[in-house]
Amino acid sequence: MLKVEHVTKYYGTILAVDDLSFEVKKGEIFGLLGVNGAGKTTTFRMITGLLDKNSGTITLNGKPIDYSVTDKIGFLTEERSLLTKLTVKEQAIYYGVLKGMQEQDILEKLDVLLKRFHIEEYKERKIKELSKGNQQKIQFITSIINDPDLLILDEPFSGLDPINVALFMDVIKELKEKGTSIIFSTHRMEHVEMFCEKLVVLVRGKSVLSGNLKQIKKDYRKKNIHIEAEHMDLEKLKEVKGVLEVIKTETEVVVKIASEENVNDVFNYVKKCEGVTKFVVEDASLNEIFLEKVGVMYENEM
Ligand code: ATP
């Protein structure tokens, strides 16, 4: 288990991470979210021991981060850091040996992973000859070749097409099932909603929202109602108690309401309308929650 407790980091006078605490348990997928400059990469560098913190503690399975522990951590960095003149096989051996592995074990593991990522044919190819997406697959393979207890993925999906995003997610879920703790950063909230269980949102290095994703969505009072009807007076709908916004799309009307208690008010209006074929209440998306939390934080600082 990874434990980050009251960690603070300054670069000179710039406060990059401010009294941050969170835990990632065995087999958990944890999202570290925030806008550019929020402190995500700095946090990852401190967890991997690449950067010293000013205060606080970070432990993996109860031990402070040092060389004996970093062998058990895999890190996919944001600035892609492949040795592009090497072949895929040479790169895997280089990193595997750095993580304390035997060459034979590295090669066996590499074959399995190249197959899993559908790129067996690139084993003897130089990395600079591969496409960007395939280079990212190699970097991902490199970061998990040592079967890490903790896998850190800084923007793992950036630059990937949707098919490869799905492939990366499948592999990440398989690692979770095997008990790997996974922590990743992204700007894309829909990726978080697809497979993340717990998260923390950083604004200027400080946590402004944290916890279990399902609980966060449940606790957020605003809901969205999706309605399809032949005829509906949208101006009247806007006047219904608790309605914050009415959005008409090509196929439906989305009504944003202040709280679950207003569902009945909207329903009482909609049931009087003609040809209603859909009335579905959904939690707000994580993107909406993120925009509100982060937006309010910035407004308060203005
Ligand atoms: P992004 O999403 O853009 O990658 P991030 O959330 O990873 O951003 P960090 O790179 O951790 O954010 O940066 C946090 C803060 O620390 C920012 O204000 C940044 O300008 C500052 N910072 C980062 N690295 C350094 C450095 N080497 N020297 C000085 N300040 C730095």
Side-chain angles (χ1 to χ4, degrees), residues 86-127:
L86 299 187
T87 64
V88 169
K89 183 171 141 188
E90 287 164 347
Q91 157 96 22
I93 293 173
Y94 179 82
Y95 275 100
V97 168
L98 276 182
K99 294 286 181 188
M101 292 174 76
Q102 300 294 321
E103 194 168 319
Q104 186 56 31
D105 295 337
I106 297 167
L107 293 175
E108 276 170 24
K109 194 74 202 293
L110 179 64
D111 284 341
V112 172
L113 289 170
L114 288 174
K115 200 159 177 226
R116 182 68 188 89
F117 282 89
H118 315 303
I119 50 170
E120 298 106 300
E121 68 272 32
Y122 296 132
K123 189 165 144 185
E124 305 290 348
R125 290 270 286 274
K126 285 204 166 63
I127 287 165

Side-chain angles (χ1 to χ4, degrees), residues 11 14 16 34-43 78 155 187:
Y11 293 105
I14 298 168
V35 296
N36 294 122
K40 304 179 296 291
T41 302
T42 302
T43 303
E78 187 186 18
E155 294 285 342
H187 302 289

Side-chain angles (χ1 to χ4, degrees), residues 83-225:
L83 305 163
T84 55
K85 287 183 189 159
L86 299 187
T87 64
V88 169
K89 183 171 141 188
E90 287 164 347
Q91 157 96 22
I93 293 173
Y94 179 82
Y95 275 100
V97 168
L98 276 182
K99 294 286 181 188
M101 292 174 76
Q102 300 294 321
E103 194 168 319
Q104 186 56 31
D105 295 337
I106 297 167
L107 293 175
E108 276 170 24
K109 194 74 202 293
L110 179 64
D111 284 341
V112 172
L113 289 170
L114 288 174
K115 200 159 177 226
R116 182 68 188 89
F117 282 89
H118 315 303
I119 50 170
E120 298 106 300
E121 68 272 32
Y122 296 132
K123 189 165 144 185
E124 305 290 348
R125 290 270 286 274
K126 285 204 166 63
I127 287 165
K128 64 181 176 188
E129 294 165 7
L130 305 187
S131 71
K132 222 175 119 214
N134 283 333
Q135 287 191 5
Q136 200 154 328
K137 287 183 181 177
I138 299 302
Q139 194 164 352
F140 191 27
I141 287 174
T142 306
S143 66
I144 59 176
I145 200 142
N146 59 325
D147 276 326
D149 290 344
L150 173 68
L151 176 61
I152 298 177
L153 304 168
D154 202 351
E155 294 285 342
F157 310 117
S158 73
L160 290 181
D161 64 44
I163 296 190
N164 281 319
V165 169
L167 174 63
F168 271 49
M169 281 189 183
D170 285 345
V171 175
I172 292 170
K173 283 183 206 154
E174 287 161 19
L175 291 165
K176 167 197 159 65
E177 294 305 320
K178 283 202 285 184
T180 314
S181 306
I182 296 147
I183 170 165
F184 79 105
S185 72
T186 181
H187 302 289
R188 304 276 298 271
M189 297 303 136
E190 72 273 24
H191 289 160
V192 178
E193 290 197 81
M194 279 161 94
F195 76 151
C196 180
E197 297 151 297
K198 272 170 44 185
L199 58 93
V200 59
V201 176
L202 295 181
V203 172
R204 309 230 161 101
K206 207 169 178 55
S207 162
V208 293
L209 180 67
S210 67
N212 180 285
L213 174 62
K214 280 198 189 126
Q215 197 59 42
I216 287 172
K217 291 185 81 169
K218 217 165 145 236
D219 292 347
Y220 189 73
R221 290 177 59 76
K222 294 179 190 169
K223 307 283 167 197
N224 298 330
I225 307 176

Side-chain angles (χ1 to χ4, degrees), residues 33-36 38 189 199-204 206-209 220 286-302:
L33 314 178
V35 296
N36 294 122
M189 297 303 136
L199 58 93
V200 59
V201 176
L202 295 181
V203 172
R204 309 230 161 101
K206 207 169 178 55
S207 162
V208 293
L209 180 67
Y220 189 73
L286 184 61
N287 203 40
E288 289 172 88
I289 301 172
F290 179 88
L291 285 174
E292 184 169 305
K293 291 279 174 195
V294 175
V296 165
M297 190 77 189
Y298 275 99
E299 274 165 26
N300 286 346
E301 286 181 10
M302 295 291 224

Side-chain angles (χ1 to χ4, degrees), residues 200-252:
V200 59
V201 176
L202 295 181
V203 172
R204 309 230 161 101
K206 207 169 178 55
S207 162
V208 293
L209 180 67
S210 67
N212 180 285
L213 174 62
K214 280 198 189 126
Q215 197 59 42
I216 287 172
K217 291 185 81 169
K218 217 165 145 236
D219 292 347
Y220 189 73
R221 290 177 59 76
K222 294 179 190 169
K223 307 283 167 197
N224 298 330
I225 307 176
H226 298 255
I227 306 165
E228 276 175 38
E230 265 169 38
H231 181 74
M232 208 163 38
D233 184 337
L234 299 187
E235 289 310 312
K236 281 204 178 129
L237 184 57
K238 281 180 195 165
E239 287 161 16
V240 173
K241 190 177 160 210
V243 171
L244 301 173
E245 203 182 347
V246 174
I247 302 161
K248 189 164 171 25
T249 72
E250 281 297 312
T251 54
E252 60 177 12

